């Protein structure tokens, strides 16, 4: 990546974290009164904390918040992790996915003639045990969540993002078939292998 491209991407990310977080924070109800812990600082605290340590604790997030110039206690930060915060983060992810196409360019000649190129994949994250009722784990952990995504290569956009139980196998994910359209190509790893799925994609006059 060239220096101008890096600068451009950095500016977009900074704008997203500052401006977009603020706008969504007010709309989502996360910001209800004047507070030093703005939506932007809250989001940066979580993002930077997770970048430093994937399983960052509440006290470690507090340290990040302090470095960002906002003094807050662990209990105070915990109180801000409410339904408004959930809405804020969900809408922020959706907005971020919508903006990713602005940062990508694709070489499309390889798939000339294809109506779409849908790339599916998943990732899994461990959750606290108290989340087991909502997101059942896979045996190693009592609670975990699996995130499924479909990325459409030609338009450089994420078509879908779904969160489910960590124990659900990729073969049961409905997204690959849902986005199989005539003339499209579906790319998946072997974790999704199912003769039933591949037959259904072929029936939809799509390729895999």
């Amino acid at each position: 990546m060239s220096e101008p491209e890096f600068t451009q991407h950095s500016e977009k990310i900074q704008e997203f974290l500052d401006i977009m977080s603020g706008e969504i924070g007010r709309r989502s109800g996360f910001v209800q009164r004047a507070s030093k812990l703005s939506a932007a600082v809250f989001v940066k605290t979580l993002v930077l904390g997770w970048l430093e340590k994937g399983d960052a604790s509440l006290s470690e997030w507090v340290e990040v918040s302090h470095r960002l110039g906002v003094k807050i206690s662990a209990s105070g930060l915990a109180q801000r992790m409410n339904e408004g915060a959930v809405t804020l983060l969900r809408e922020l992810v959706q907005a971020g996915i919508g903006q990713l196409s602005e940062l990508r360019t694709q070489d499309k000649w390889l798939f000339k003639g294809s109506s779409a190129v849908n790339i599916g994949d998943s990732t899994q994250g461990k959750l606290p045990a108290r989340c087991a009722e909502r997101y059942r784990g896979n045996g190693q952990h009592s609670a975990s969540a699996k995130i499924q995504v479909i990325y459409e290569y030609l338009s450089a956009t994420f078509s879908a993002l779904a969160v489910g139980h960590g124990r659900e196998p990729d073969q049961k994910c409905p997204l690959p078939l849902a986005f199989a359209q005539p003339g499209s190509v579906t790319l998946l790893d072997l974790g999704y292998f199912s003769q039933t799925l591949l037959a259904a994609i072929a029936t939809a006059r799509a390729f895999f």
Side-chain angles (χ1 to χ4, degrees), residues 116-120 150-153 159 179-181 184-187:
V117 179
N118 299 311
I119 304 172
I150 295 292
Y151 177 75
E152 203 292 292
Y153 181 83
S159 304
F179 286 89
Q181 61 190 49
S184 67
V185 178
T186 299
L187 301 177

Side-chain angles (χ1 to χ4, degrees), residues 74-82:
S75 61
L77 182 58
Q79 290 175 6
R80 300 304 300 274
M81 294 181 178
N82 50 32

Side-chain angles (χ1 to χ4, degrees), residues 11-177:
E11 290 174 351
K12 284 183 175 292
I13 293 172
Q14 185 70 29
E15 178 183 349
F16 179 79
L17 290 178
D18 285 333
I19 299 177
M20 189 64 71
S21 294
E23 292 177 355
I24 296 177
R26 290 187 292 272
R27 188 170 66 245
S28 67
F30 177 81
V31 177
Q32 296 181 343
R33 53 184 169 79
S35 171
K36 290 184 178 180
L37 188 69
S38 64
V41 173
F42 177 74
V43 171
K44 288 180 181 179
T45 296
L46 299 186
V47 171
L48 294 175
W50 273 318
L51 286 175
E52 291 180 0
K53 188 177 180 182
D55 58 349
S57 65
L58 192 61
S59 60
E60 288 167 331
W61 275 326
V62 167
E63 293 178 6
V64 175
S65 177
H66 288 182
R67 296 203 302 269
L68 291 173
V70 175
K71 300 288 186 179
I72 190 170
S73 65
S75 61
L77 182 58
Q79 290 175 6
R80 300 304 300 274
M81 294 181 178
N82 50 32
E83 288 299 322
V86 173
T87 302
L88 164 65
L89 295 174
R90 181 174 59 243
E91 292 192 16
L92 198 61
V93 169
Q94 293 172 341
I97 288 175
Q99 290 188 6
L100 280 176
S101 60
E102 300 176 6
L103 305 179
R104 300 283 191 268
T105 56
Q106 308 292 358
D107 294 323
K108 302 177 181 179
W109 63 269
L110 182 62
F111 296 100
K112 184 178 181 180
S114 300
S115 60
V117 179
N118 299 311
I119 304 172
D121 204 357
S122 70
T123 187
Q124 192 164 178
K126 180 179 70 173
L127 297 174
R130 63 180 178 273
C131 299
E133 184 175 348
R134 178 170 291 185
Y135 295 110
R136 295 189 297 276
N138 58 359
Q140 294 180 325
H141 308 291
S142 60
S144 63
K146 178 171 284 189
I147 302 173
Q148 298 277 359
V149 297
I150 295 292
Y151 177 75
E152 203 292 292
Y153 181 83
L154 299 182
S155 62
T157 57
F158 283 88
S159 304
L161 183 152
V163 182
H165 299 293
R167 66 171 57 183
E168 290 182 351
D170 289 338
Q171 291 98 325
K172 291 189 177 181
C173 178
L175 297 181
L177 181 57

